Amino acid sequence: MSLRRLFVFLTLLVLSVSSAGAGSLPKPTGKPILVVSGNITNKNNESSAEFDRAMLEGIGLQTIETTTPWYESRMRFEGVPFDKLMELLGATGTKVTAVALNDYVTTIPMEDFKKFKVVLAMKRNGNYMPVRDKGPLFIVYPYDSDPQLQTQTYYTRSAWQVAKLIVE
């Protein structure tokens, strides 16, 4: 782990431990790939929290291996657990609206995050996902873990090219 990533990780860890109260996140040092706004208490600018890739990785990654309707074979996705991201942000509310780079919008009940262990994936089969292949961020459910997840309801919640999250 690079010194920069270690610093980001430790900063995010301290904030996650104290996320019950309002706080501020460090500012991204790289290009932001995610902006979160709405009902959050931990921010790094006036009205939102911006994250670069290193900041997201500093939260910790979770792996999901699953089949999807978008790829022919089983894939391994690595990403930030949504429940940890929401906890770090001090998020309150009942739903999160995801907005993709192509303006696709979907709304996800916050209860899904813990119930199904949803991730905001950055990697597929060990490689960062480029924009042309569902990156940089892709909302992934563990579809194989429950037949209920293999329905249009959950597939439509699985936005790719995610750029913004709005906590409501």
Side-chain angles (χ1 to χ4, degrees):
M1 181 179 287
S2 73
L3 189 56
R4 178 175 172 263
R5 282 195 177 152
L6 180 60
F7 173 75
V8 169
F9 172 76
L10 291 174
T11 302
L12 293 171
L13 180 64
V14 167
L15 282 171
S16 68
V17 169
S18 64
S19 66
S24 65
L25 298 169
K27 295 221 181 256
T29 56
K31 179 182 176 187
I33 61 172
L34 178 67
V35 177
V36 185
S37 62
N39 296 330
I40 60 173
T41 57
N42 295 324
K43 303 170 187 173
N44 56 14
N45 68 42
E46 246 181 71
S47 61
S48 64
E50 293 182 347
F51 292 87
D52 61 18
R53 184 181 287 162
M55 291 172 70
L56 290 171
E57 287 179 334
I59 297 169
L61 301 180
Q62 178 178 313
T63 301
I64 291 177
E65 290 191 29
T66 190
T67 55
T68 76
W70 307 286
Y71 298 103
E72 290 184 19
S73 61
R74 188 174 177 86
M75 296 288 153
R76 186 179 78 250
F77 296 96
E78 294 173 68
V80 178
F82 248 105
D83 57 343
K84 281 188 178 181
L85 177 61
M86 293 297 112
E87 182 179 324
L88 172 70
L89 292 167
T92 58
T94 58
K95 61 187 176 179
V96 172
T97 298
V99 182
L101 293 171
N102 65 358
D103 294 325
Y104 176 80
V105 175
T106 188
T107 301
I108 306 162
M110 283 184 67
E111 65 190 23
D112 277 13
F113 303 150
K114 284 190 184 199
K115 182 177 180 182
F116 298 116
K117 306 292 185 202
V118 182
V119 300
L120 189 57
M122 292 185 281
K123 294 181 180 181
R124 182 174 52 84
N125 292 337
N127 298 307
Y128 291 107
M129 293 182 291
V131 170
R132 70 180 179 279
D133 189 16
K134 301 187 179 31
L137 301 170
F138 182 11
I139 298 169
V140 179
Y141 284 76
Y143 309 103
D144 293 345
S145 70
D146 187 332
Q148 169 185 349
L149 296 177
Q150 298 169 15
T151 63
Q152 203 59 37
T153 297
Y154 295 95
Y155 295 151
T156 60
R157 293 178 185 171
S158 301
W160 52 78
Q161 298 179 336
V162 173
K164 297 176 188 172
L165 298 173
I166 304 159
V167 180
E168 303 171 72

